[in-house]
Amino acid sequence: MNKATVSAPGKLMLLGEHAVVYGYPCIVTAISQRLEVSVSTIDDIPMDRRFIDAAIQAWGDGKDYLFSIKSAFSGKYGFGSSAAVTVATLKTMRPTVENRVLFDAAYKIVLDVQGIGSGFDVAASTYGGTLYFVAAGKIIEPLSVQEVPLIVGYTGVKADTTSLIKQVAEKKEKNPEKVERIFQAIAKLVEDVKPRMLEGDWERVGKLMDFNQEYLRDLGVSSEKLEALISAAKKAGAWGAKLSGAGGGDCMIALGSGEKRDAIQKAIADAGGQVIDVQPNAEGVRVEI
Ligand code: PMV
């Protein structure tokens, strides 16, 4: 294996979380915060690093590779560090691999380790941009959107994705028709939002995000803190705002025009959120050197 450094972006879910686990579509965007994986053969490492070699041989799987990981974002934000590290690490070993092959391999690993997940985060890390995505990569459609006027607020609370997915599954078990109706309504929002995003009608996209948030609330995955940040952003003039990802914590997102951005960010901070500077629609996995 040659020496290689590969970086992959994190992600934010724009619309369609939870429903996507049940085969409905979602929209995800790759973000400017990236995670970098470097790999080198033992031959490339200076002599003193042989101590590391010895340590890896003692507890490792016997292969002579050294991986190091650098991330521009903390795992606590819910930006998809597990998917990004899986995609980037695989690509260090096959730098010219096709995206589809990479996606399938990375998704399989994420499923093996995590047991559950639609793979939207793996798709964002692999392909980048903004994607219309159906679970397990049945559809991965890049959307050529121009500048998404996104504002991101972190609640300070780490979401537990697996238990929130379970919580929704239990709700569905108890109340299958109601939950199925919610999923179908979310899926319709995702279909409606697609052309609006392509046209750059962010005001309408914001409205559809608001509707999506109502359904997420009905599913029981919002939280007081998320609601506080969402309502602060909206009072400050956001076109729309919702939780992003599993819910329970992590981040909320809002859309807002240029002149309102400062006010929206201040409102989120005043409500106890941490505004994170995130550029959406970022490039997918890439070889750095
Ligand atoms: O918690 P996150 O940011 O990884 O988002 C989870 C989104 C879900 O739709 C709930 C799960 C999934 O894998 O799609």
Side-chain angles (χ1 to χ4, degrees), residues 86-109:
T86 308
V87 167
T89 304
L90 285 175
K91 196 166 167 87
T92 59
M93 293 181 274
R94 285 204 217 161
T96 57
V97 67
E98 269 181 19
N99 276 347
R100 183 70 220 195
V101 176
L102 179 59
F103 170 83
D104 287 338
Y107 181 48
K108 185 176 179 307
I109 291 170

Side-chain angles (χ1 to χ4, degrees), residues 79 127 192 229 259 276 283-284 288:
F79 285 168
Y127 292 84
D192 290 351
L229 305 192
E259 72 268 22
I276 309 176
E283 195 186 341
E288 300 288 345

